[in-house]
Amino acid sequence: MNNNTTNLDTHVHTHPSGRAAAFGHHLLARWPSVLGVLALLLNNADGPDPHVTGMIIIIASTCYLAAAAIGSRRSVWVMVVVASVAVVLAGLTGLDPTVTMLVMGTGFAIFGFLRGTDRREVGLQALAFVGFSAIALTAMMSSPTVALYLAAAAALGHTVWDVVHFIRDKVVSRSLTEACFVLDLGLGAVLLLAAWTMPPL
């Protein structure tokens, strides 16, 4: 009986259809990472862009802050959609997308403090929002080489922030931290590679 079971398992894992099914199951289990890779490819379709990376980091920081202010970990995915739509609409209506996100983040910080559910957590996320946004904004206004390094620093810094929140398992869902980790790490690596291979001016 045990030999038959072992042979059946071996057949499933060695048969092409069995391997494909196992691979598909693994991808499904790691869907946040897959989503992060797809977002990375989409945002680097035209090459590494410090401005795009800076905007992504500001959006990510805003979503973390919003989730803390609302007091719901699951709300962070909704906020990713809301923030992305806000950026697109701002561009279509002639508003500055960066200013739009900064205003949105500030609004959530105020809402979180007034709501008073967990002011300590809101304060921590607000500080992170200010810090990451400052680095991202500086990158957007810097010379090409400096912009690459600053945007990479913002992305890699937020990668660490993702890991911290994955371990803490607070504020945002782990699925979001996983997707964000893959995206941020990839953005940072691509920008650093671009900076290191950029011909001297």
Side-chain angles (χ1 to χ4, degrees):
M1 183 69 175
N2 290 337
N3 289 337
N4 291 337
T5 303
T6 302
N7 291 337
L8 179 60
D9 290 341
T10 302
H11 175 74
V12 169
H13 288 294
T14 56
H15 195 273
S17 61
R19 288 196 299 269
F23 181 71
H25 183 271
H26 181 71
L27 283 181
L28 187 62
R30 293 270 63 87
W31 67 265
S33 293
V34 175
L35 187 62
V37 170
L38 291 176
L40 176 64
L41 294 175
L42 178 65
N43 285 286
N44 282 279
D46 296 324
D49 188 334
H51 192 282
V52 171
T53 296
M55 178 59 71
I56 290 173
I57 299 306
I58 293 174
I59 290 174
S61 301
T62 301
C63 292
Y64 272 63
L65 174 55
I70 295 171
S72 170
R73 297 171 61 190
R74 293 180 180 179
S75 67
V76 71
W77 279 111
V78 176
M79 287 312 307
V80 169
V81 176
V82 170
S84 300
V85 171
V87 168
V88 173
L89 290 178
L92 293 175
T93 57
L95 297 175
D96 188 321
T98 306
V99 173
T100 299
M101 291 311 305
L102 294 176
V103 171
M104 184 180 293
T106 302
F108 275 113
I110 295 172
F111 171 75
F113 281 117
L114 292 177
R115 188 167 181 265
T117 302
D118 189 347
R119 288 194 175 97
R120 180 180 177 278
E121 195 64 62
V122 173
L124 181 64
Q125 298 301 327
L127 286 175
F129 168 75
V130 171
F132 286 120
S133 296
I135 299 173
L137 287 171
T138 305
M140 292 177 180
M141 298 182 290
S142 299
S143 62
T145 303
V146 174
L148 287 170
Y149 280 111
L150 285 176
L156 295 176
H158 205 272
T159 301
V160 175
W161 198 236
D162 297 327
V163 173
V164 168
H165 283 77
F166 184 88
I167 295 172
R168 292 181 71 205
D169 198 16
K170 291 178 62 178
V171 183
V172 296
S173 64
R174 275 186 162 176
S175 59
L176 187 283
T177 61
E178 181 180 334
C180 201
F181 169 83
V182 172
L183 174 58
D184 293 342
L185 181 62
L187 288 171
V190 168
L191 288 170
L192 284 179
L193 182 61
W196 294 336
T197 56
M198 177 179 286
L201 299 177

